[in-house]
């Protein structure tokens, strides 16, 4: 188990947003064989940092992100957010946690096809506590002139940026992105990453990006390596590269 | 088992709720069809057998009095078959322990030979014999109501004479299958019975020795009924003959026929509604399934399965629904049919009415529902198998959405994005929405029918027997009497107020229309037997001219101001033309009314009365009844409220049953339509809904999005549903009405509210069940893949 304290590098003096100890998730897909998707993960995540989560397919990245986001509950271990336990929380509390605190971005955008870009964002601003206007959120991702387009009328990159706008419109404390560039080409991928980086800097949001693409790790403050449900390494970048300069 | 059939079973298991909803709706249609068609066949078979075996007459006539020698002339009528002349009469009964009026109609049977027509079906005992002790056979229903058995005796006042009648047996007659007291529309077996007595004794009792006052006859093969009736009328006219009539106007036969007609309409309309809604539901469910399995279909085709094999595979889903529906509908229909045959017992006196399923009709119903369901899925299956595999393996292109038209009106700022999703989904699939709304409209319409029937009957009885007829009792004299007889009636114990009336039987004609009616003369400013308009306001009696029942004016095709021809059949039998002064509203029987003195002048008589309407001090009922029974002049005692009471006694249970059936079926329809729609919507929008949950929408909010669309449809369906229900109720009441009993269409807020409530309650139940699935949404699974 790597020494997480060493690699937090000065962050240890602040209270973490997420505080996970021994986080374990076990699946029993066919009753007999058990799959340990997460196997005793200890992790602290801090305000306004940008973290990239790397790992092979099936290593447990999505599982970790879903648990952090309140979409899933661990089989074992503890997870606190700002000192409040998420492991003991009921369905309602988790829903409220997602509603007020977390912004999600997924590989397949998950936009509602029957709503326009503006309305997809409005879905969030309608229920959030302190939202920005949908137009403002879309402007942040450079889509101010696509407000009334339906998802089917937008390119993949544009759809993903709508998804980001939707995620940030509530000014979330946490932005969780599961392979946000997975379905995009390099150029569009970079615009999307730029949007995430901008939110991270401008709003001070903790951003976590899952990717298979090691090149993306260069834009992160910390890089977490996951393998077979274990954190194998946490690496702190001394120098962060702006997203626009990434190549892969 | 073949792999495709395994897939069928697994898919059916995941769709079981939906398939069950479809089968239930289909089963309701089949149940009603099997029940109603079976009842029709049962009634028709038994009726035809009974009428044939017991030689029910074809033509009937009443007259005042004709010598028995006239019989041979009647037999010579060309087209006449068997002729039987009879004596009929009326008796007031005095049944120990019953402090109410009971009466009987007496019908003669031949003395020394067997009956040739309307042959009695003896159940207990034997036919009367000449024992000099007034032997009678009594109707089974009356015997059962009182527990009479052969050997018992009944006290009766016949033609003013008190007699003891000896019961020799109990029987049924094809002439009295529906044993209806005059003027009523439900049987009242406690207060009204039919007695058969040997002709000579009966004639003796009614002062009709050597004469008859009733004729029944059959037609010879090929005999023309109209010609026979015309000839009979011509022969009997000098003897006070009333218009002769055939089975279509014979009270009992007519009620049996009306019942069968009603069942026919029911057996057609309701299965059509339910089976077509079920077909639409199947179509919607299968279309969605085929869409979901588009890629599977492509793979199957790639493996080499033929389009036919795949097509058959999807048709088997429909087949499964049809089979389930057949089982449920078959069991339900047979069970309901058997149950209703038992309910018929107090109404229809048949020797052996048993439930006979109408197998050919059941088959037709099955083929029709299967056919409709197959047609419904044909299109989607065709599209599925038509796609080249390579194309089908790619996901369907994203649906095109556009702002809905309602939003184009500028309402977008008023509605939430969730509501907009609902609007846009609806506009994208208008047909699906329309059919769902139509199904819900039907579900709203159905409960209106029993409500309208109940309220119509109540209104009718209230109007007829409370607002119009305010007398407690009507007394009829055996023979018209003088003012002294009126005074005698007025002086009976307990009488508070009395009004005389003069009633004569008459033919009334206009153009080529003719009816036999009772022409009533009433006093000016009468307070008891009142003539009312549609708003229940009393219509003043004109000093000259007649008032007609609205229905009579309609069948005679005469308007106020027109002239009708009246031929009175009594006294000096005046014939005169008279102006129709107006029409009155009434719901039972058809009649004509005029000023009592005007009628007396036409009859050239003084202050003759036929009877009196009375109000009574209810505390004095028993002495009143005893004295009235004793009075030799009094031939009929009618208690006004008896009609209402017997209706309440007989019909209360039936009305509850009818409500239960209609409400239950409506609830199944609403539930099924909503459930099916909600499951389809859920399947189409699983991804959207899961996404909303991920974004922090609560289960309740997400359920709101899911049902928003269906809730909107439900609300949209209600008004048209109420309208359709009103039309349906009007049609059914119209079909149940006859010339002599007319059911008004009365629709109350309660009826409408109940209908709306039933649909809303079943919809909410559906929503609740479907919403439970939202709790089980797989949030993570949905994020992993494209649809
Ligand atoms: N619902 C489930 N049932 C059973 N096993 C599951 C389930 N979800 C995930 N797993 C297993 O848990 C492990 C981790 O899955 P996870 O989705 O977290 O991987 P990942 O790192 O995100 O992979 P990828 O990069 O391919 O998305 C895998 O071995 C997977 O098979
Ligand atoms: Mg993953």
């Amino acid at each position: 188990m790597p020494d997480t304290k060493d690699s937090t590098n000065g962050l240890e003096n602040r209270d973490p947003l997420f505080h996970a100890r021994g986080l374990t998730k076990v699946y029993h897909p066919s009753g007999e064989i058990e799959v340990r998707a997460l196997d005793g993960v200890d992790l602290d995540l801090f305000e306004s940092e940008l973290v990239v989560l790397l790992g092979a397919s099936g290593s447990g990245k999505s599982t970790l992100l879903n648990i952090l986001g309140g979409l899933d509950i661990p089989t074992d271990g503890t997870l606190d957010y700002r000192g409040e336990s998420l492991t003991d929380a009921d369905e309602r509390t988790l829903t409220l946690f997602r509603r007020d605190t977390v912004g999600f971005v997924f590989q397949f955008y998950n936009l509602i096809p029957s709503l326009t870009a503006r309305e997809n964002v409005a879905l969030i601003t309608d229920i959030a506590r302190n939202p920005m206007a949908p137009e403002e959120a879309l402007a942040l991702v450079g889509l101010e002139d696509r407000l009334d387009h339906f998802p089917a009328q937008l390119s993949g990159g544009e759809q993903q940026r709508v998804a980001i706008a939707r995620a940030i419109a509530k000014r979330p404390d946490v932005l969780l992105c599961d392979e946000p560039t997975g379905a995009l080409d390099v150029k569009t991928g970079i615009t999307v990453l730029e949007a995430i980086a901008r939110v991270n800097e401008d709003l001070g949001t903790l951003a976590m990006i899952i990717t298979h693409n090691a090149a993306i790790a260069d834009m992160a403050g910390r890089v977490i390596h996951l393998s077979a449900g274990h954190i194998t390494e946490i690496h702190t970048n001394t120098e962060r590269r702006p997203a626009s300069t990434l190549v892969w | 088992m073949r792999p495709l059939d395994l897939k069928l079973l697994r898919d059916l298991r995941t769709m079981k709720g939906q398939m069950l909803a479809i089968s239930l709706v289909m089963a309701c249609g089949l149940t009603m069809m099997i029940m109603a068609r079976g009842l029709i066949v049962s009634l028709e078979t038994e009726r035809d057998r009974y009428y044939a075996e017991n030689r029910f007459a074809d033509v009937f006539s009443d007259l005042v009095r004709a010598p028995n020698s006239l019989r041979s002339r009647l037999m010579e009528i060309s087209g006449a078959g068997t002729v039987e002349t009879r004596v009929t009469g009326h008796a007031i009964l005095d049944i120990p322990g019953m402090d109410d009026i009971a009466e009987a109609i007496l019908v003669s049977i031949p003395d020394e030979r067997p009956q040739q027509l309307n042959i009695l079906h003896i159940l207990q005992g034997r036919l009367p014999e000449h024992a000099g002790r007034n032997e009678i056979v009594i109707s089974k229903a009356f015997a059962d109501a009182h527990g009479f058995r052969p050997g018992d005796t009944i006290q009766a006042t016949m033609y003013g004479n008190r007699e003891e009648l000896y019961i020799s047996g109990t029987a049924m007659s094809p002439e009295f299958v529906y044993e209806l007291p005059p003027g009523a529309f439900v049987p009242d077996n406690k207060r009204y019975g039919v007695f058969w007595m040997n002709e000579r004794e009966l004639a003796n009792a009614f002062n009709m020795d050597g004469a008859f006052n009733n004729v029944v006859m059959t037609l010879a093969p090929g005999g023309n009924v109209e010609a026979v009736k015309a000839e009979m009328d011509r022969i009997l006219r000098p003897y006070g003959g009333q218009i002769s009539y055939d089975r279509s106007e014979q009270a009992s036969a007519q009620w049996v026929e009306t019942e069968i007609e009603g069942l026919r309409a029911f057996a057609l309309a309701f299965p059509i509604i339910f089976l077509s809604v079920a077909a639409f539901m199947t179509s919607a469910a299968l279309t969605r399934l085929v869409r979901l399995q588009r890629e599977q279909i492509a793979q199957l085709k790639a493996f080499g399965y033929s389009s036919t094999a795949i097509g058959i595979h999807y048709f088997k889903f429909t087949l499964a629904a049809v089979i389930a529906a057949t089982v449920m509908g078959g069991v339900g229909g047979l069970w309901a049919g058997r149950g209703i045959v038992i309910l018929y017992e107090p109404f229809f006196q048949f020797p052996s009415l048993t439930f006979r399923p109408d197998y050919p009709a059941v088959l037709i119903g099955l083929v029709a529902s299967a056919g409709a369901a197959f047609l419904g899925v044909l299109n989607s299956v065709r599209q599925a198998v038509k796609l080249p595999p390579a194309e089908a393996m790619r996901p369907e292109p994203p649906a095109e959405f556009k702002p809905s038209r309602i939003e184009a009106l500028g309402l977008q700022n008023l509605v939430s994005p969730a509501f907009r999703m609902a609007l846009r989904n609806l506009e994208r699939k208008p047909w699906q929405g329309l059919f769902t709304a139509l199904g819900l409209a039907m579900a709203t319409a159905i409960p209106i029918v029993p409500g309208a029937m109940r309220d119509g009957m109540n209104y009718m009885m209230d109007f007829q027997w409370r607002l119009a007829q305010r007398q407690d009792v009507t007394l009829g004299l055996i023979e018209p009497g003088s003012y002294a007889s009126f005074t005698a009636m007025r002086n009976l114990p307990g009488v508070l107020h009395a009004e005389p009336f003069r009633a004569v039987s008459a033919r009334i004609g206009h153009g080529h229309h003719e009816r036999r009616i009772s022409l009533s003369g009433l006093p000016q400013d009468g307070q008891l037997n009142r003539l009312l308009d549609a708003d229940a306001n009393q219509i003043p009696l004109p000093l000259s001219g007649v008032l007609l029942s609205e229905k009579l004016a309609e069948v005679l095709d005469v308007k106020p101001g027109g002239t009708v021809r009246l031929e009175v059949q009594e006294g000096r039998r005046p014939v005169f033309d008279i102006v129709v002064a107006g029409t009155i509203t009434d719901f039972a029987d058809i009649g004509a009314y005029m000023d009592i003195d005007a009628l007396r002048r036409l009859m050239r008589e003084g202050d003759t009365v036929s009877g009196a309407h009375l109000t009574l001090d209810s505390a004095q009922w028993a002495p009143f009844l005893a004295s009235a029974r004793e009075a030799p002049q009094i031939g009929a005692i009618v208690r006004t409220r008896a009609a209402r009471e017997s209706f309440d006694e007989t019909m209360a249970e039936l009305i509850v049953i009818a409500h239960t059936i209609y409400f239950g079926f409506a609830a199944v329809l609403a539930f099924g339509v909503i459930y099916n729609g909600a499951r389809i919507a859920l399947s189409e929008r699983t991804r959207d809904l899961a996404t909303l949950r991920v974004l922090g929408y609560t289960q309740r909010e997400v359920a709101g999005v899911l049902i928003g669309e269906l809730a909107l449809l439900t609300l949209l369906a209600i008004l048209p549903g109420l309208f359709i229900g009103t039309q349906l109720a009007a049609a059914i009441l119209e079909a149940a009405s006859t010339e002599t009993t007319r059911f008004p269409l009365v629709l109350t807020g309660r009826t409408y509210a109940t209908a709306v409530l039933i649909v809303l309650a079943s919809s909410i139940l559906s929503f609740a069940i479907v919403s439970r699935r939202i709790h089980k949404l797989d949030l993570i699974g949905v994020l992993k893949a494209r649809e």
Side-chain angles (χ1 to χ4, degrees):
Chain A
M1 182 131 303
D3 184 355
T4 46
K5 260 202 185 123
D6 276 357
S7 35
T8 49
N9 226 9
L11 290 169
E12 72 274 14
N13 299 326
R14 295 158 49 186
D15 284 337
L17 275 188
F18 286 104
H19 178 74
R21 284 300 172 267
L23 222 46
T24 302
K25 180 76 185 179
V26 184
Y27 288 110
H28 301 272
S30 57
E32 303 276 306
I33 336 143
E34 60 164 41
V35 180
R36 301 183 82 79
L38 288 182
D39 195 358
V41 167
D42 298 339
L43 181 63
D44 289 326
L45 294 172
F46 297 90
E47 217 168 304
S48 56
E49 64 170 333
L50 196 152
V51 180
V52 164
L53 194 54
L54 281 176
S57 182
S59 56
K61 306 183 295 292
S62 298
T63 306
L64 177 59
L65 179 128
N66 290 340
I67 292 176
L68 292 175
L71 280 176
D72 205 351
I73 40 175
T75 322
D76 210 353
T78 58
L79 173 66
D80 294 352
Y81 176 79
R82 290 191 200 272
E84 301 283 339
S85 168
L86 289 182
T87 22
D88 303 332
D90 60 9
E91 174 55 44
R92 215 185 140 66
T93 316
L94 287 180
T95 301
L96 285 177
F97 171 66
R98 293 200 298 272
R99 184 178 191 138
D100 297 331
T101 311
V102 188
F104 286 103
V105 180
F106 299 102
Q107 181 179 2
F108 299 117
Y109 327 135
N110 292 81
L111 299 178
I112 308 283
S114 57
L115 297 179
T116 62
R118 189 207 310 256
E119 290 158 355
N120 261 287
V121 178
L123 273 178
I124 296 300
T125 56
D126 264 14
I127 58 168
R129 277 197 292 211
N130 175 27
M132 55 182 91
E135 294 77 9
E136 188 187 344
L138 284 163
L140 271 179
V141 294
L143 284 180
E144 55 274 29
D145 52 356
R146 294 282 192 278
L147 296 177
D148 293 322
H149 288 227
F150 284 92
Q153 300 163 332
L154 295 169
S155 76
E158 286 167 339
Q159 289 185 49
Q160 191 59 300
R161 281 188 279 156
V162 175
I164 294 170
R166 185 176 68 181
I168 61 173
K170 68 172 95 157
R171 304 181 207 275
D173 292 343
V174 181
L175 182 62
L176 299 173
C177 313
D178 195 342
E179 300 189 43
T181 61
L184 304 175
D185 65 29
V186 183
K187 193 166 161 280
T188 350
I190 284 172
T191 13
V192 164
L193 292 173
E194 278 178 327
I196 294 171
R198 192 159 157 207
V199 173
N200 167 250
E201 279 154 30
D202 293 0
L203 303 177
T205 303
L206 160 63
M208 177 184 249
I209 304 173
I210 290 182
T211 178
H212 283 279
N213 190 337
I216 293 176
D218 291 348
M219 69 183 279
R222 286 197 294 159
V223 183
I224 301 171
H225 293 266
L226 212 57
S227 172
H230 298 280
I231 293 180
T232 50
E233 187 197 341
I234 297 183
H235 162 83
T236 306
N237 280 334
T238 42
E239 190 191 338
R240 286 173 58 181
R241 288 181 60 177
S244 55
T245 64
L246 298 176
V247 276
W248 64 83
Chain B
M1 192 179 284
R2 308 229 312 281
L4 264 191
D5 289 333
L6 265 178
K7 168 181 176 302
L8 176 74
L9 285 183
R10 300 241 161 90
D11 287 347
L12 280 176
R13 199 176 315 154
T14 52
M15 295 175 75
K16 61 178 181 292
Q18 226 176 330
M19 296 310 275
L20 186 69
I22 293 170
S23 307
L24 271 176
V25 171
M26 216 184 270
C28 283
L30 284 174
T31 297
M32 283 189 270
M33 170 139 182
I34 290 171
M35 177 198 83
R37 290 298 323 174
L39 288 173
I40 292 169
V41 169
S42 311
L43 284 171
E44 280 181 340
T45 312
E46 173 63 2
R47 175 190 66 178
D48 294 348
R49 181 201 67 74
Y50 190 31
Y51 284 3
E53 282 179 18
N54 292 51
R55 305 208 59 207
F56 184 39
D58 294 312
V59 178
F60 310 78
S61 195
D62 293 306
L63 56 147
V64 174
R65 181 194 183 99
N68 281 341
S69 55
L70 199 67
R71 180 164 180 237
S72 51
R73 269 189 68 198
L74 293 169
M75 283 160 71
E76 280 158 16
I77 295 174
S78 128
T82 314
V83 177
E84 195 108 88
T85 56
R86 310 189 298 185
V87 176
T88 62
H90 179 262
I92 299 174
L93 309 178
D94 188 356
I95 293 169
M98 182 173 170
D99 68 341
D100 198 0
I101 304 141
E103 43 177 10
I105 175 170
L106 288 138
V107 180
S108 72
I109 51 181
D111 283 306
E112 266 124 24
R113 58 177 175 83
Q115 274 187 298
Q116 285 179 294
L117 297 179
N118 301 348
I119 298 169
L120 292 182
H121 174 74
I122 296 283
L123 291 154
Q124 283 181 308
R126 51 166 176 77
L127 285 172
E129 277 168 11
H130 273 292
R133 56 175 178 187
N134 291 328
E135 288 195 356
I136 53 168
V137 165
I138 65 173
S139 54
K140 172 192 180 278
F142 183 78
D144 287 351
H146 290 281
F148 284 131
R149 304 165 49 96
D152 293 345
T153 56
I154 299 178
Q155 301 296 322
T157 309
M158 301 194 293
Y159 208 64
N161 298 314
R162 216 169 152 79
E163 308 261 8
E164 187 175 60
L165 307 177
Y166 175 88
I167 301 172
S168 70
T170 65
M172 290 180 182
S173 158
E175 197 180 352
F176 297 99
V177 171
Y178 200 74
E179 218 172 288
L180 203 61
F185 60 100
V186 288
D188 184 347
N189 297 322
K190 253 201 136 56
R191 301 188 186 93
Y192 181 77
V194 185
F195 294 179
W196 291 271
M197 198 170 180
N198 275 326
E199 187 168 342
R200 210 179 301 151
E201 275 176 346
L202 189 56
N204 202 312
F206 281 87
N207 202 11
M208 292 283 288
D209 290 300
F212 64 91
N213 62 4
N214 174 272
V215 184
V216 294
M217 68 164 72
T218 50
L219 293 175
N224 177 324
V225 78
E226 294 307 322
V228 168
K229 284 198 295 188
E231 182 60 12
M232 186 136 106
D233 282 355
R234 206 185 56 76
I235 296 173
L236 294 179
R237 201 166 197 128
Y239 303 95
Q242 295 178 0
I243 300 168
S244 43
Y245 52 96
D246 54 42
R247 283 184 188 178
S248 69
E249 285 178 76
Q250 201 267 346
S252 163
Q254 196 184 18
W255 278 96
V256 175
E257 188 55 33
T258 305
E259 178 66 27
I260 293 175
E261 286 302 321
L263 285 169
R264 275 210 189 93
F266 190 89
L268 193 67
F270 285 87
I272 285 180
I273 292 177
F274 279 78
L275 294 182
S276 50
V277 171
F280 146 71
M281 287 168 69
T282 327
S283 162
L286 261 283
T287 304
R288 175 60 195 162
L289 181 72
V290 165
R291 261 236 178 98
L292 268 182
Q293 301 193 337
R294 180 185 153 103
E295 288 165 48
Q296 293 181 32
I297 293 170
Q299 274 154 21
L300 287 171
K301 286 182 78 175
F303 297 156
Y305 279 89
S306 71
S307 295
T308 322
I310 294 169
I312 289 174
H313 171 67
Y314 284 99
F315 277 131
K316 280 184 183 166
F317 283 89
T318 315
L319 197 64
V322 172
I323 289 173
T326 307
V327 173
M328 290 189 285
V331 171
L334 295 180
W335 177 79
R338 296 227 157 83
I340 290 185
V341 158
I342 293 169
L343 289 178
Y344 274 156
E345 243 164 49
F347 293 89
F348 296 105
Q349 303 296 319
F350 281 114
S352 56
L353 183 65
T354 50
F355 187 70
R356 282 163 227 258
D358 180 1
Y359 291 111
V362 172
L363 202 70
I364 292 171
L366 264 184
V367 170
S369 54
F374 281 137
L375 278 182
V377 301
L378 189 61
N379 196 39
S380 51
V381 172
R382 249 212 334 252
Q383 279 184 352
V385 297
K386 201 173 63 190
L387 276 182
E391 190 180 322
M393 292 232 224
R394 282 195 294 275
E396 254 189 300
E400 277 288 332
F401 282 96
K402 48 181 195 287
S404 66
R405 248 157 271 169
I406 294 176
E407 290 169 73
L409 300 175
L411 300 172
Q412 57 266 43
N413 297 325
L414 300 179
V415 296
S416 69
F419 191 73
R420 258 176 249 185
M421 287 168 72
L423 279 183
R424 288 175 194 167
N425 281 318
L426 274 182
E427 285 210 1
R428 201 164 65 85
K429 293 185 167 180
W431 288 110
Q432 193 163 313
L434 188 73
F435 278 112
T436 303
L438 213 62
L440 290 170
M442 287 302 175
T444 317
I446 289 169
I448 293 181
V449 173
M453 291 200 292
R454 178 201 57 214
D455 293 337
M457 288 180 185
N458 274 331
Y459 181 82
M460 161 188 181
M461 285 189 298
D462 212 48
F463 192 97
Q464 200 71 27
W465 287 295
R466 193 176 67 82
L467 296 176
Q469 302 189 16
R470 295 214 287 200
Q471 67 273 26
D472 294 319
V473 163
T474 302
L475 296 180
L477 297 173
I478 290 168
E479 299 286 350
S482 63
Y483 193 74
S485 355
F486 173 62
T487 320
M489 291 188 278
R490 193 171 56 192
N491 290 338
L492 285 168
V495 173
L496 299 177
H497 175 63
E499 285 176 11
F501 67 89
R502 178 77 178 106
V504 293
S505 70
R507 295 172 180 228
I508 185 167
H510 178 252
H512 55 277
H513 306 286
E514 201 176 25
R515 286 293 183 276
R516 53 203 177 104
I517 54 154
S518 167
L519 171 62
S520 304
L522 299 172
Q524 289 291 331
D525 303 321
Q527 286 309 303
L528 298 184
N529 194 5
R530 304 191 311 156
L531 307 175
L532 305 178
D533 65 14
D535 299 324
N537 297 316
Q538 186 163 10
I539 299 174
L541 203 56
L543 287 170
S544 66
V546 282
L547 294 172
L548 303 184
S549 297
E550 231 159 51
K551 186 73 185 178
L552 181 59
E554 184 194 314
V555 297
L556 292 178
D557 193 20
V558 63
K559 298 235 156 20
T563 305
V564 288
R565 189 186 58 260
L566 273 164
E567 298 176 41
V568 176
Q569 315 267 289
E570 292 178 24
R572 48 170 289 274
R573 298 210 209 136
V575 176
F576 50 91
D577 286 341
I578 191 165
V579 172
V580 176
T583 60
I584 64 154
T585 301
D586 56 1
F587 299 104
D589 250 327
I590 49 177
Y593 304 87
M594 58 192 294
D595 177 72
I596 190 167
D597 290 321
L599 178 57
R600 285 166 176 160
R601 278 195 297 278
L602 288 165
M603 299 289 294
R604 300 234 182 104
E605 44 187 43
D607 40 18
T608 315
V609 296
S610 302
H613 300 300
L614 311 173
T615 54
L616 298 177
D617 173 1
S618 56
Q620 301 261 44
W621 169 247
F624 168 81
L625 186 59
S627 317
R629 272 183 189 141
E630 297 285 314
Q633 291 168 300
I634 293 173
I637 311 174
V638 177
R639 197 164 58 84
T640 308
R641 257 183 300 279
R644 164 121 229 178
E645 285 165 13
S646 73
F647 177 85
D648 288 346
E649 285 158 20
T650 340
M651 296 296 281
E653 188 195 12
L654 278 195
I655 286 179
V656 171
I657 291 172
H659 272 83
T660 314
I661 292 176
Y662 280 91
F663 287 3
F665 283 4
V668 168
L669 191 59
F671 177 85
V673 167
I674 291 274
Y675 185 78
N676 194 49
R679 285 300 298 271
I680 291 171
L682 181 64
S683 150
E684 283 170 345
R685 292 199 247 313
T686 305
R687 195 176 168 78
D688 293 0
L689 299 177
T691 302
L692 291 179
R693 289 282 290 125
V694 167
L695 295 178
Y697 274 68
T698 60
Q699 283 169 348
R700 188 184 289 247
E701 285 163 340
V702 170
V705 172
L706 175 68
I707 63 184
E709 182 183 329
L710 288 159
L712 194 67
L713 283 178
T714 312
L715 294 179
L716 286 178
I718 280 176
L719 266 186
L722 296 179
F723 176 75
I724 295 172
T726 307
Q727 302 302 313
L728 196 64
I732 285 179
L733 284 172
E734 174 68 36
S737 296
T738 62
E739 196 172 298
T740 47
T741 310
R742 305 172 289 280
F743 296 108
L745 180 64
V746 178
L747 290 154
T748 55
R750 177 177 160 204
T751 301
Y752 284 137
T754 312
V756 172
L757 228 76
I758 286 173
V759 168
L760 288 186
S762 349
S763 304
I764 289 168
L765 183 67
S766 266
F767 290 150
I769 293 177
V770 174
S771 297
R772 286 216 324 244
R773 297 192 159 254
I774 289 177
H775 299 212
K776 297 188 206 145
L777 274 182
D778 179 5
L779 301 190
I780 298 162
V782 137
L783 304 172
K784 280 186 187 162
R786 289 177 180 279
E787 191 180 18

